[in-house]
Amino acid sequence: NAGVMQNPRHLVRRRGQEARLRCSPMKGHSHVYWYRQLPEEGLKFMVYLQKENIIDESGMPKERFSAEFPKEGPSILRIQQVVRGDSAAYFCASSSDREGGTEAFFGQGTRLTVV
Amino acid sequence: GEDVEQSLFLSVREGDSSVINCTYTDSSSTYLYWYKQEPGAGLQLLTYIFSNMDMKQDQRLTVLLNKKDKHLSLRIADTQTGDSAIYFCARGDNYGQNFVFGPGTRLSVLP
């Protein structure tokens, strides 16, 4: 059972381009969370999704950022018209909805560099 | 100030005990967590404590929770060089919901 898979591990984009970050949750997990880790800072919650639904997007910037978790395939975090300030590590986590479950499993992260 | 706070750096000598501290302001969460992040890697759950507990021990790790002072600590006994990493304190609910992370404490273990 593979863990949470994120790709790519490293992504370089020029200012104004689009960045697409993918997250495949652990098998059997239907909850996905995206976090952003800015240099020398902790992780900030961005969005919480279940299959085909956005549950909580209170941490998402109002513009240029969007997320989806389709019925089939990975969850996608999309950043349009990237700017230098978007350079960060983006982590995805997944969890199951079993009673008593407590752990969210994290992926290795995608390190986005905007040049 | 931030909801979850930690000191940013800690240095200890190999073999000594490390104590990483965390304070928080919102006590509504069900669990308090400690995650470890090694360079270039994701976050690994080390341990967690239910908000109604005072202490939890797991091998070399001891978690103490002072609910009155909203203070959480992680003690690592017999610290090894492999323990060098960033340690994140987090509060949250079941299944990873409503996680709020601290800024992380960078632990350096000196030979």
Side-chain angles (χ1 to χ4, degrees), chain A residues 35-105:
Chain A
Y35 293 84
R36 176 164 62 175
Q37 184 180 28
L38 292 166
E40 305 303 324
E41 291 189 21
L43 288 92
K44 303 293 185 186
F45 167 78
M46 298 182 76
V47 62
Y48 164 36
L49 309 106
Q50 294 182 20
K51 287 280 187 183
E52 299 184 280
N53 282 308
I54 297 174
I55 307 301
D56 180 356
E57 56 181 347
S58 58
M60 288 278 271
K62 293 286 185 287
E63 297 175 348
R64 302 188 296 108
F65 284 72
S66 62
E68 62 176 8
F69 188 16
K71 188 176 178 183
E72 300 290 337
S75 175
I76 306 285
L77 179 68
R78 184 176 174 217
I79 311 171
Q80 294 176 292
Q81 298 175 313
V82 296
V83 300
R84 288 240 170 92
D86 297 332
S87 294
Y90 292 82
F91 287 93
C92 164
S94 74
S95 67
S96 73
D97 55 1
R98 290 179 299 111
E99 277 301 313
T102 56
E103 183 171 358
F105 292 84

